[in-house]
Amino acid sequence: MNVLVCLAAILFILMVLIGGKKGARSFFALFLNFGVLLITIVIMTIPNANPIILTFIACTAVSCINLFYINGVNSKTKTAFISTMTTIVILLFFIVIMTKKAMIQGFGEEEIEELSMFSLFIGVDFVKIGAAVIIMSAIGSIVDVAISIASSMREIFNHHPFISRKDLFTSGLSIGRDILGTDTNTLFFAFFGSYLGLLIWFKDLSYSFGEIVNSKVFSAEMINILSAGIGVALIIPITAWINAYVLVKTRDKNAL
């Protein structure tokens, strides 16, 4: 416990020194996000609760915390929020269908031994739970890309106030291309970092490459990464278009 407190204190001090008040808000936002996730998980265990609707509400709350609480309510955060929610809705429909087809819900055989003493008849839809897990895993990256593009496009517009909508949109896409590669790699290495023990276990059990690829645990995590990557890719043109539309429309309206 002392180690956790020390690490949290170091993180808080660094965030305040580097980010000032916004850094302090970012630190407390971590606990707010954790609270949202904890409440969502508790409600999900209630019989007949719809995990998809709960996930959408949780994503909305997380987006509000990360955008409006940390960065304030302004044109950048508003357009980033609209872009985020649009992407989440598209992803929800895609991931629910994909989860049913891939049949990655539930637990893999590698996890059965630890769960054998518990009953899995808990009255929840594991297909929807699987889709909810994928969406919640992607929300952080999606919000991050949305606010990054919105903020960069605002700076471009401030320095070039008479830029055309098409050129502004193209600039947003150019910024997004630079972000896309690093974010997808971050998602990829986050998986291997968290599941390194599982990969070593596969090696000790002499799994063949085909057995690893077809195992439910590995497949579920790879689908998780790919779905999050799709979300990151989708948010780029959506944010760029919405920002270009709003900024140019506001400029033309003020010019009248």
Side-chain angles (χ1 to χ4, degrees):
M1 186 63 182
N2 291 333
V3 175
L4 295 177
V5 174
C6 289
L7 289 175
I10 293 171
L11 177 61
F12 176 73
I13 292 170
L14 290 174
M15 292 180 76
V16 171
L17 289 176
I18 297 172
K21 292 182 179 179
K22 187 175 289 188
R25 287 198 297 269
S26 299
F27 179 80
F28 291 115
L30 294 174
F31 297 95
L32 294 176
N33 289 328
F34 178 76
V36 170
L37 294 177
L38 187 62
I39 293 171
T40 303
I41 292 171
V42 170
I43 299 176
M44 271 188 188
T45 58
I46 299 175
N48 300 321
N50 192 324
I52 302 300
I53 295 176
L54 290 173
T55 301
F56 181 78
I57 295 172
C59 288
T60 303
V62 169
S63 300
C64 289
I65 292 169
N66 292 330
L67 292 173
F68 299 132
Y69 174 69
I70 296 176
N71 299 291
V73 180
N74 50 58
S75 60
K76 292 185 295 185
T77 53
K78 288 178 181 177
T79 52
F81 177 76
I82 295 171
S83 303
T84 299
M85 299 319 298
T86 303
T87 305
I88 289 298
V89 170
I90 296 172
L91 268 184
L92 274 174
F93 285 107
F94 169 74
I95 289 175
V96 168
I97 296 172
M98 181 272 302
T99 305
K100 290 181 179 179
K101 297 293 184 180
M103 293 187 292
I104 59 171
Q105 70 275 6
F107 304 96
E109 59 182 11
E110 294 82 9
E111 301 166 303
I112 293 300
E113 184 176 349
E114 289 80 6
L115 298 169
S116 58
M117 66 187 74
F118 302 106
S119 173
L120 299 181
F121 298 101
I122 56 177
V124 297
D125 190 334
F126 278 98
V127 175
K128 293 180 179 179
I129 291 291
V133 169
I134 295 174
I135 288 292
M136 294 302 292
S137 300
I139 184 62
S141 298
I142 291 173
V143 172
D144 178 49
V145 173
I147 190 60
S148 297
I149 294 177
S151 181
S152 301
M153 290 181 69
R154 166 62 70 174
E155 289 298 316
I156 293 172
F157 185 77
N158 289 339
H159 287 87
H160 303 279
F162 299 106
I163 189 173
S164 66
R165 181 175 295 167
K166 181 180 178 181
D167 289 340
L168 188 58
F169 173 72
T170 303
S171 298
L173 287 181
S174 180
I175 296 166
R177 292 189 189 102
D178 294 333
I179 298 173
L180 180 61
T182 54
D183 263 53
T184 49
N185 275 305
T186 299
L187 294 170
F188 180 75
F189 286 110
F191 159 72
F192 278 100
S194 60
Y195 274 83
L196 185 60
L198 177 64
L199 296 175
I200 294 173
W201 191 16
F202 284 156
K203 174 66 171 58
D204 290 340
L205 293 176
S206 300
Y207 272 41
S208 66
F209 179 76
E211 289 173 325
I212 293 175
V213 172
N214 288 286
S215 66
K216 180 177 285 190
V217 176
F218 185 85
S219 298
E221 288 303 319
M222 287 306 298
I223 289 174
N224 194 336
I225 294 171
L226 295 173
S227 299
I230 291 171
V232 171
L234 280 176
I235 192 68
I236 292 171
I238 291 173
T239 306
W241 185 87
I242 292 176
N243 269 278
Y245 177 81
V246 170
L247 290 173
V248 173
K249 183 178 180 180
T250 302
R251 180 192 65 191
D252 294 343
K253 183 179 180 181
N254 293 335
L256 296 176

